Amino acid sequence: MHTELIQRLQKQDRNALSKLYDLYSSALYGVVLRIVQSPELAQQVLQDTFLKVWRNSASYDASKGRLFTWLLNIARNTAIDATRTAHFRNQQKTEGTESLVSRPGNDAINPDHLGVREAVDALDEKYRTLIDLIYFKGYTQEEVSEETGIPIGTVKTRLRYAMNELRKVFGETNALAFLALADAIHHVLKQ
Amino acid sequence: MDIQSFLQSGLLESYALSHCTPEERKQVEEMLQQYPEARAELEAIELALEQYAQTQAVTPPVGVKDRIMQEIDGASPQMTAQVNSSMLRLFQVAAVLFLAAATYFWMQQRTTAQQLEAAQQQSLALQQQIQDCSSSLATQRAIVELLRDPKIRPVKMSNQLNPAAIPSYVFNNDSTGPCKISVDVASLPVQPNGKYLQFWAIVDKTPVSMGMIRIDSVNGIQTFDCNPNADGFAVSIENNPEGNATPSTVLMYGLQG
């Protein structure tokens, strides 16, 4: 855990923010990019996110969750706010709905996670979509149900299952296991 | 809720995904305070999500971090320059607008002053006209009053120097006892400086001085004492303001009919 880093951040130590950026900007940028679909806007959202983190660092409480979860919530909300502007909506109209689950190009992938990424890629598109909609785009389970046409009860079941398997995979940091998980999730969701 | 049911409830997953209602959030946070197992479970869920997120990581362009650090250090020099430049621009625009407005109001004011002066002159001219009309009306009224009196006999005076001129009248009251002769001074031609008008009664073809004519007579009517023997009247032009014993130049005369 980053206890010391958080304390320094909360004392408004600029080096702490710099360190935080180095640790998490890529993961946050990846998520933001998938929500706003535009590198220019995503960069603005990322900048706003870290400025909010800097100004509101006092509101982070380590007893209520991991630092990254807190950062991701801020980034996601900022990105969702950005998509509510008229400009963004106009842009989206011309692009069609496929972009909802589109992903950044492969050349932008963090090489440290290449193996895992391949495992994730092996998942059926619609199961990735489930996690992506909820975790990355901030959809509620009700919204997922509406979006995909899957009953809400099924969404809940599938999500819990997927989460457990996700933990197993990343707990072992094993890409092969993740592939197996992908099959398992696939199997369960087919039922 | 006991800890096992809680761990199985799915609430922790919802909490990690920020999908809780405020009540659920409160419940989860109470459990986290109470049970280390709950915290460990949440930690594991969050860690898995975090690692999943890392698989989606994209390195942002270098400039983003610089902008963030500049922002928290206060406005960057570049930003300050932009602000100064835009402030300067604002001042320039404001100055131009101010000058334009000042010029406009100055011209407006000048036009208004000119209009006011013209209006004042017009007003003076109108006042003069009204005064002229008013005094002319007073004269006409006075003459009408005289004409209404059955004892008054008007005597038409022919202009000897300019026969085409409109004739003047002398209003002779020929009743016995104290009476007045009225002369329509306003209708007499205006004399140049140094020339004066003298009024005469003609008695047995001989002019008898009645006195000098005053141009500034009230209502343009001057009255003289009667001369019961007068056959007619004459007005002469004199150089002497006191008049002469005999007329120098006869301007007009008229005989009583």
Side-chain angles (χ1 to χ4, degrees):
Chain A
M1 293 287 282
H2 305 294
T3 315
E4 194 212 329
L5 181 65
I6 291 159
Q7 282 174 353
R8 279 167 53 207
L9 183 72
Q10 290 179 336
K11 287 176 185 164
Q12 298 284 280
D13 176 349
R14 73 187 293 284
N15 292 330
L17 188 75
S18 173
K19 174 81 176 160
L20 200 69
Y21 185 90
D22 293 343
L23 284 171
Y24 294 117
S25 62
S26 301
L28 296 176
Y29 187 61
V31 172
V32 167
L33 205 50
R34 295 177 69 173
I35 298 174
V36 303
Q37 303 285 327
S38 142
E40 290 78 23
L41 190 54
Q43 286 160 31
Q44 186 58 52
V45 167
L46 189 66
Q47 185 177 334
D48 292 347
T49 299
F50 275 92
L51 292 175
K52 284 180 189 174
V53 166
W54 176 252
R55 289 175 197 136
N56 302 315
S57 59
S59 70
Y60 172 66
D61 181 351
S63 73
K64 293 178 181 176
R66 283 179 64 81
L67 180 61
F68 181 78
T69 307
W70 183 68
L71 295 173
L72 184 71
N73 280 336
I74 294 173
R76 190 167 50 202
N77 292 340
T78 307
I80 290 168
D81 284 347
T83 64
R84 291 190 178 128
T85 64
H87 170 73
F88 180 86
R89 273 191 238 107
N90 291 339
Q91 207 180 21
Q92 286 297 290
K93 270 183 198 162
T94 59
E95 286 183 11
T97 50
E98 284 169 87
S99 61
L100 197 67
V101 290
S102 73
R103 322 168 46 137
N106 282 345
D107 54 341
I109 293 170
N110 185 339
D112 293 348
H113 299 281
L114 242 134
V116 179
R117 177 57 177 271
E118 281 160 2
V120 172
D121 280 351
L123 273 168
D124 192 304
E125 178 76 24
K126 63 180 175 183
Y127 307 132
R128 276 208 312 262
T129 302
L130 180 67
I131 294 178
D132 288 354
L133 287 177
I134 291 177
Y135 185 47
F136 291 140
K137 300 204 169 182
Y139 278 47
T140 63
Q141 293 171 18
E142 289 77 11
E143 284 166 342
V144 171
S145 171
E146 238 170 74
E147 183 78 22
T148 59
I150 302 168
I152 180 73
T154 314
V155 171
K156 285 181 192 292
T157 315
R158 286 182 187 182
L159 183 65
R160 286 215 51 211
Y161 184 84
M163 291 290 294
N164 282 333
E165 296 307 311
L166 207 60
R167 282 172 59 186
K168 281 183 197 163
V169 170
F170 288 111
E172 294 157 17
T173 325
N174 186 326
L176 288 174
F178 193 79
L179 278 174
L181 153 77
D183 283 343
I185 292 176
H186 197 168
H187 181 71
V188 167
L189 291 170
K190 282 275 182 184
Q191 285 175 347
Chain B
M1 192 187 291
D2 70 79
I3 182 67
Q4 283 311 315
S5 318
F6 176 71
L7 295 180
Q8 298 297 314
S9 68
L11 273 175
L12 277 174
E13 285 83 354
S14 293
Y15 183 82
L17 292 166
S18 307
H19 275 178
C20 286
T21 63
E23 294 75 32
E24 287 172 337
R25 171 165 286 275
K26 196 167 168 246
Q27 188 188 355
V28 170
E29 281 167 3
E30 276 168 12
M31 295 302 275
L32 290 175
Q33 291 287 330
Q34 210 174 335
Y35 298 102
E37 307 96 293
R39 290 197 61 178
E41 181 74 3
L42 177 67
E43 177 84 11
I45 293 167
E46 287 187 302
L47 194 61
L49 286 170
E50 185 174 328
Q51 283 175 317
Y52 178 58
Q54 289 287 1
T55 68
Q56 313 294 311
V58 180
T59 306
V62 189
V64 180
K65 184 177 180 183
D66 293 341
R67 289 205 295 274
I68 293 167
M69 299 316 287
Q70 278 175 355
E71 187 82 17
I72 65 162
D73 289 340
S76 67
Q78 198 188 354
M79 284 291 284
T80 312
Q82 277 173 0
V83 166
N84 285 346
S85 148
S86 60
M87 287 296 278
L88 188 67
R89 188 101 200 111
L90 194 67
F91 277 124
Q92 283 173 343
V93 170
V96 168
L97 284 176
F98 176 77
L99 272 179
T103 308
Y104 173 76
F105 284 118
W106 177 72
M107 285 176 72
Q108 282 277 45
Q109 192 269 339
R110 207 175 61 151
T111 310
T112 309
Q114 285 170 346
Q115 285 172 341
L116 180 65
E117 202 186 322
Q120 281 172 338
Q121 281 175 356
Q122 206 174 8
S123 167
L124 281 176
L126 283 169
Q127 276 179 11
Q128 188 59 52
Q129 279 181 16
I130 289 168
Q131 217 168 353
D132 290 351
C133 284
S134 169
S135 75
S136 167
L137 182 65
T139 304
Q140 300 311 315
R141 273 188 179 154
I143 290 170
V144 167
E145 281 301 309
L146 289 169
L147 287 172
R148 277 180 178 160
D149 190 337
K151 283 175 239 158
I152 294 283
R153 283 195 298 153
V155 177
K156 184 178 174 185
M157 306 288 280
S158 305
N159 193 315
Q160 301 300 297
L161 302 178
N162 179 11
I166 295 168
S168 298
Y169 284 88
V170 169
F171 303 96
N172 184 29
N173 186 336
D174 64 353
S175 60
T176 51
C179 65
K180 297 286 177 191
I181 301 169
S182 303
V183 176
D184 178 10
V185 175
S187 69
L188 297 175
V190 175
Q191 298 303 303
N193 282 343
K195 300 287 182 187
Y196 306 93
L197 296 176
Q198 193 171 358
F199 186 55
W200 308 84
I202 296 167
V203 180
D204 295 332
K205 297 180 182 173
T206 308
V208 177
S209 178
M210 302 287 282
M212 301 305 289
I213 288 177
R214 293 171 53 89
I215 297 300
D216 59 352
S217 304
V218 175
N219 289 343
I221 301 289
Q222 188 177 358
T223 53
F224 296 89
D225 287 335
C226 275
N227 186 324
N229 302 317
D231 301 321
F233 303 95
V235 175
S236 68
I237 301 172
E238 305 296 334
N239 292 327
N240 184 357
E242 303 296 325
N244 289 307
T246 52
S248 304
T249 307
V250 174
L251 174 64
M252 55 181 68
Y253 81 89
L255 293 176
Q256 207 156 249

